[in-house]
Amino acid sequence: MISRATSGEVEFVPMSEGDLDWVVARERELHAFPWTRGNFADSLAAGYSCWLMKAGGQAVGYAVMMLVLDEAHLLDISIDREAQGRGHGAALLGHLRAEARRHGATQFFLEVRPSNAAALSLYRSNGFEHVGRRRDYYPAADGREDAIVMRCAL
Ligand SMILES: CC(C)(COP(=O)(O)OP(=O)(O)OC[C@H]1O[C@@H](n2cnc3c(N)ncnc32)[C@H](O)[C@@H]1OP(=O)(O)O)[C@@H](O)C(=O)NCCC(=O)NCCS
């Protein structure tokens, strides 16, 4: 599946085991509490919607989404630090929304740390609204951090 974006040719490719070295290395750089290789392998084995995003032939990001009946749940979306701030996050989220709709989902949910300004901005400007809060949901350097729950109609 290939689409055009301002930064050149962008491609969304189903993630496979062979991508996991790159994905796990980026995950460790980008997240204070990263998913393990096993988490990604389990997501692939479970048939979750797992994507690699390429721009100009180079991997720039990845995402994992779970589809359950008419709901989509975003589990991970990450853009390589070098490639951030160029609209790739928004393009990847747009691809996930299209995939979710294609599978019959009517609602898209996600959790985000209140401290994650970039992700909050990405989600807000792409139609997600704050619908709840899960207390002490995430591990944090000084204990636990709440999750903001966001929802978007598809
Ligand atoms: C969140 C993330 C995916 C955004 O990717 P990106 O390619 O930089 O996003 P875009 O360039 O499409 O920008 C999307 C919006 O975020 C905003 N943004 C990007 N970086 C930001 C920052 N550091 N602080 C505040 N806002 C920021 C942009 O201004 C843009 O807002 P707008 O749509 O209102 O103009 C990326 O920062 C990332 O991978 N972070 C680490 C992993 C992570 O936290 N993932 C989310 C939780 S799983």
Side-chain angles (χ1 to χ4, degrees), residues 1 6 15-16 23 27 29 32 48 55 73 84 112-113 123 134 140-141:
M1 190 172 299
T6 49
M15 191 191 291
S16 65
V23 167
E27 178 77 9
E29 287 172 6
Y48 291 173
H73 293 260
Q84 289 180 9
V112 58
R113 291 175 186 262
Y123 302 145
R134 296 193 206 286

Side-chain angles (χ1 to χ4, degrees), residues 112-125 145 148 150:
V112 58
R113 291 175 186 262
S115 62
N116 193 343
L120 276 169
S121 174
L122 170 68
Y123 302 145
R124 284 198 186 111
S125 59
E145 181 174 6
I148 291 175
M150 302 185 88

Side-chain angles (χ1 to χ4, degrees), residues 2-11 53-58 88:
I2 295 181
S3 64
R4 292 268 164 190
T6 49
S7 53
E9 193 173 84
V10 167
E11 198 180 354
M53 179 180 183
K54 294 183 175 180
Q58 299 291 317
H88 291 324

Side-chain angles (χ1 to χ4, degrees), residues 15-71:
M15 191 191 291
S16 65
E17 287 279 340
D19 299 317
L20 290 189
D21 284 350
W22 186 86
V23 167
V24 171
R26 298 294 82 69
E27 178 77 9
R28 289 189 183 132
E29 287 172 6
L30 293 166
H31 295 266
F33 297 89
W35 274 25
T36 63
R37 175 179 285 269
N39 294 139
F40 287 102
D42 287 349
S43 295
L44 289 172
Y48 291 173
S49 186
C50 303
W51 295 92
L52 196 71
M53 179 180 183
K54 294 183 175 180
Q58 299 291 317
V60 293
Y62 57 92
V64 178
M65 172 174 68
M66 182 173 63
L67 294 162
V68 183
L69 302 176
D70 63 346
E71 292 183 4

